[in-house]
Amino acid sequence: MLDVGADAPEFELPNQHGETVSLADFDGRVVLYFYPRANTNGCTTEACEFRDERPAFDERDVSIVGVSDDPVSDLEAFADEHDLEFDLLSDELGEVATLYDSYGEKQMFGNTFDGVFRNTYVIDENGRVAAAYEGVTPEGHAEDVLADLEEARAAQ
């Protein structure tokens, strides 16, 4: 995991519409969440919770961005099916996920393969890591991030 206070690595990736998106495109803070596979149970739960909590993130000037190694076409179908109105980025080679320590060897059902780890970063308006969440449990994660954002805001 990247350390809190570290510079967040820049990136450019296509979103679900095939448009190039970079970290520099966002004003304010960004929740950058990495997830293994579109339209799987955990990933759908996590994405829909971020969707449902989006007004609360918007009130805090925090953008939501999901990243997986799915192709653009899969992300488009995922976003359409679940009314996800935030950027889902396609990192098919895992290059950006690697920069964020969120890609590598995984094991499932006795098979070993490379894939995306379920990690989340909050990046502040200065492009630094403000919070890091490793090995996220999808259910309740959006609410946890919101609570931490509120706690940080109250401490200022």
Side-chain angles (χ1 to χ4, degrees):
M1 291 295 294
L2 298 178
D3 293 329
V4 170
D7 288 335
E10 255 305 328
F11 59 80
E12 285 190 352
L13 291 171
N15 68 9
Q16 68 268 34
H17 308 294
E19 304 161 340
T20 300
V21 174
S22 71
L23 182 58
D25 291 339
F26 298 96
D27 295 328
R29 294 173 289 176
V30 176
V31 170
L32 186 67
Y33 80 95
F34 293 86
Y35 63 98
R37 186 71 51 219
N39 271 325
T40 58
N41 290 340
C43 296
T44 300
T45 295
E46 186 175 22
C48 290
E49 288 188 6
F50 276 117
R51 175 202 64 206
D52 295 346
E53 296 292 347
R54 185 170 176 201
F57 284 98
D58 288 346
E59 287 174 15
R60 293 161 177 80
D61 295 319
V62 179
S63 299
I64 301 166
V65 179
V67 181
S68 73
D69 58 359
D70 292 302
V72 169
S73 59
D74 288 359
L75 296 180
E76 182 178 32
F78 183 48
D80 288 347
E81 181 176 345
H82 299 288
D83 298 317
L84 305 176
E85 296 182 0
F86 51 84
D87 285 307
L88 299 176
L89 306 182
S90 174
D91 184 22
E92 288 191 78
L93 301 178
E95 293 171 341
V96 171
T98 298
L99 293 174
Y100 281 85
D101 294 332
S102 297
Y103 191 85
E105 189 174 282
K106 299 171 75 171
Q107 290 189 357
M108 188 180 338
F109 306 120
N111 296 316
T112 302
F113 58 96
D114 287 338
V116 177
F117 304 137
R118 194 181 305 280
N119 296 332
T120 299
Y121 291 94
V122 177
I123 301 168
D124 71 16
E125 54 278 346
N126 297 312
R128 291 190 185 91
V129 175
Y133 304 82
E134 185 173 18
V136 168
T137 299
E139 191 170 336
H141 180 54
E143 289 177 0
D144 291 343
V145 173
L146 273 173
D148 290 347
L149 287 169
E150 196 57 39
E151 185 178 306
R153 186 169 148 186
Q156 292 180 352

